[in-house]
Amino acid sequence: MNLPKIPLAGWIEWLEAWLEAHLDPFFQLIRTVVGETVNGMDTALNWFPPLVLIVIFTLIAWYIGKWKMALFTLIGLLIIENLGLWSQTMQTLALVLTAAFISVLIGVPAGILCARNSSIQKIVTPVLDFMQTMPAFVYLLPAVTFFSLGVVPGVISSIIFAIPPTIRLTNLGIRQVPAELVEAADAFGSTPAQKLFKLQLPLAMPTIMAGINQTIMLSLSMVVISSMIGAQGVGASVYRAVTQGNTGIGFEAGLAIVILAIVLDRLTQQVIRKTKTS
């Protein structure tokens, strides 16, 4: 006896059509805000001459990390400029920073809410499991439906794909604050806001920063995938190289992504170390 197939695909398509018909002004607002943010950041990054921006990034790396990190940043960015991929790399950086910023803006409060309410955590955890295990390419489909082609659906799909680590580790970091310290804060008459901002968040900051680090890395990987739906940057160069069989050009674009990923990862790792020692 064959059981009838659950019409899940039909239900999803019905929900997609309903959302598109009834929430189009909301999606238009998101498209405008995200699009303007990416364009503004891209314009700002490309406004500086490449060598000036390389010096600025090198000084930031030297201030946050050590001289080895600054040297790697200098050499890596000079290689990107030499390969003629500077403008595309800045476009990719603008996409990553926008996606990571929005993910943190949503993810940290969501993590705090989960830490303060176990019922909400029980609801959110399966959703995060679903978001992290669903193949990344699937997120491109609703993003294109609601936001058309271009950078906006790329950023939206990157946010959905990259936000779970920030929520999870914010929740974990706050829950790991020793109960004795929380009880002491309560005994001294601290308000919930004082307890959160003066005790829990500072102690949880290394764990929260680890989540933000993972979010940045996932944003970068998803931004590259999003080149398939019109997102610009180095990912578009990789996609063109794959479709045209240009191994050399693909390797150059891949190298630029690797350099950018290492710089972002090492800088956030240094910030995590500093928060642990402070």
Side-chain angles (χ1 to χ4, degrees), residues 79-99:
I79 291 174
I80 292 175
E81 165 64 12
N82 180 262
L83 294 175
L85 294 170
W86 181 260
S87 178
Q88 296 95 312
T89 303
M90 292 302 101
Q91 289 177 337
T92 298
L93 182 59
L95 291 170
V96 171
L97 292 179
T98 302

Side-chain angles (χ1 to χ4, degrees), residues 155-255:
V155 172
I156 297 300
S157 57
S158 298
I159 293 170
I160 298 172
F161 183 69
I163 197 173
T166 297
I167 298 176
R168 286 186 185 277
L169 291 179
T170 299
N171 174 35
L172 178 64
I174 293 177
R175 286 181 178 273
Q176 286 181 335
V177 174
E180 296 82 3
L181 295 179
V182 176
E183 292 172 0
D186 289 333
F188 281 101
S190 299
T191 64
Q194 290 174 330
K195 186 167 59 177
L196 175 65
F197 289 104
K198 294 185 178 182
L199 174 65
Q200 293 172 313
L201 283 181
L203 291 178
M205 192 55 64
T207 305
I208 295 174
M209 286 302 303
I212 293 174
N213 172 264
Q214 293 182 30
T215 291
I216 293 173
M217 293 297 102
L218 290 174
S219 298
L220 181 57
S221 65
M222 192 62 192
V223 160
V224 175
I225 296 174
S226 299
S227 62
M228 298 177 61
I229 56 174
Q232 299 302 308
V234 187
S237 300
V238 174
Y239 182 63
R240 283 194 299 268
V242 171
T243 56
Q244 298 172 6
N246 294 326
T247 306
I249 295 176
F251 183 83
E252 290 180 350
L255 179 61

Side-chain angles (χ1 to χ4, degrees), residues 1 145 189 251:
M1 178 180 177
T145 299
F251 183 83

